[in-house]
Amino acid sequence: MKNIRNFCIIAHIDHGKSTLADRLLQFTHTLTEREQKDQVLDSMDLERERGITIKSHAIQMEYEHEGEIFIFNLIDTPGHVDFSYEVSRSIAACEGALLVVDATQGIQAQTISNLYLALNHDLEIIPVMNKVDMDNAMPDEVEDQIVELLGCPREDIIRASAKTGLGVDLILEAILTRIPAPKGDPDAPLQALIFDSVFNSFRGIIAYFRIMQGTFSKGDHVKFIATEKEYYADEIGVLKLKQVPRKTMSAGDVGYIISGIKISSEVKVGDTITHVARPTTDIVPGFEIVKPMVFAGIYPVDADDYEELRNSIEKLQLNDASLVFEPESSMALGFGFRCGFLGLLHMEIIQERLDREFDMDVITTVPNVSFKAYTTAKEMIEVHNPSGLPDINYLDYIEEPYIIAQIISKSEYQGAIMTLCIEKRGVLKNQVYLTSDRVEITFEMPLSEIIFDFYDKLKSLSRGYASFDYHIEGWQRANLVKLDVLLNGESVDALSMLIHRDNAYSFGRKMCEKLRELIPRQQFDIAIQAAIGAKIIARETVKALRKDVTAKCYGGDISRKRKLLEKQKKGKKRMRQVGNVEVPQSAFLAILKLD
């Protein structure tokens, strides 16, 4: 066990984690020349296209030092704020972390929040300053920031370049000398933390674990404590680029177990594995269970695909334990699921993955956050969907979730960022100058205001410099109203939303205008209305496609023309009663992009 080191890499998005992981694998000769490619741990096409890590990956390396072989277990982590759940799982399975900071950008908001996660788990932190070979690098200034943040001596900071391989040997040495070997008794009852799971269509569900105590052998009769299910370990092994089977593994090891599990709900990430014959009494304290922040309905385009969609979402949930879902039905869209996501990027990724990995065509409704509605009878109802709101005459008040947002930016963009936050009903709490030209601004604001386009706007205002991180602070009373969209007098529940009263009129008007452009013309007039309760606040009409019935009347009496027009009018009226309006998917997406 003294030769094992378990560590993860934490950093802000785009600071070079995946490239550094590539270099570490190359230096330890874990991969052959043929297997070597950029972002080797990012297995999804989606990750390569966007250049982001979505899923944390585990891989084992062997490092030779003074004739002795050491085993390094690396767990790569995502950097985006929406995937902090993945980071918390990786941290729970490690003893140390490489904190990577970009020498051209300095410390960003996500760096700080991931660092606090690691410090809460008492991990040994090795600061690494990446991209020092870039022309616009500011190594001395960034070094000052790291010293101030960590309070570590300057000489502890490793200057490196993952692209060229500079300083990677120093990093490997630091992992060996600074990160402690795992503690744990190989003779104690088995106690292993499940930190990830994946679905394999041939082998069933594969769970990844880290053994805290005890020894694990192939063929053992084991029990998953939270689900109370028992299995036989058909295969256990370690994670290289491919899975490598082993006969036995003991405390400190990171590996996988295949036990022929078919049902996705039987594996819970964060669960503890133990032996049936000699069970452990205490569960591994893992990471926190993350509450979803953004809710949206996902419906199949074809109603017959409902069961298939359920299977697809269950398989995705294995890969991504932070996704939660429950069945719901909608008047406009039929049967589907109400899904909870960690943020908008997370929602977008899930949609993409359903399309690519499972070939599912889905319609996603307007996302919203959860609210607490209090009735006049002093009951509290949690509302994830605007249609679940009690009637106005029973409703006393609504509370909405508030967040504390930390934004780190160059000071020249400070004014524009503050204006943006105040427009989003934010209240300035604090501002601190980290250096002469970098400022940290703290705002308190409603979560519902940031789920649409806040992040995009922040990036464009600050030319990509500002970084943003947030955590939930509590609930506050809010003056919210339910905004409905009616097509020909019929409410489309998939487009209804809860919105602040001050913004309702302008938003309702914009929504109607946008829908008028997007809904295709029919043989009859379509009235698009926005309403609060029974009060209509905006209206647009999609004009009917009309045949010119009077074209064959050249000259003659006016009454002949009128007779034909009256006949057409009756036909249109009849058509309107039986005709139904299809809302295209582009309309749901366009509502998200509304400013």
Side-chain angles (χ1 to χ4, degrees), residues 34-51:
R34 245 177 73 195
E35 291 169 323
Q36 189 67 47
K37 58 184 175 184
D38 286 347
Q39 284 176 271
V40 72
L41 292 182
D42 291 351
S43 50
M44 279 183 248
D45 293 342
L46 204 57
E47 293 179 311
R48 297 178 170 284
E49 282 165 30
R50 292 178 176 233

Side-chain angles (χ1 to χ4, degrees), residues 441-453:
I441 311 170
T442 310
F443 263 91
E444 181 184 59
M445 54 206 297
L447 178 64
S448 56
E449 293 287 345
I450 69 158
I451 66 166
F452 284 120
D453 54 357

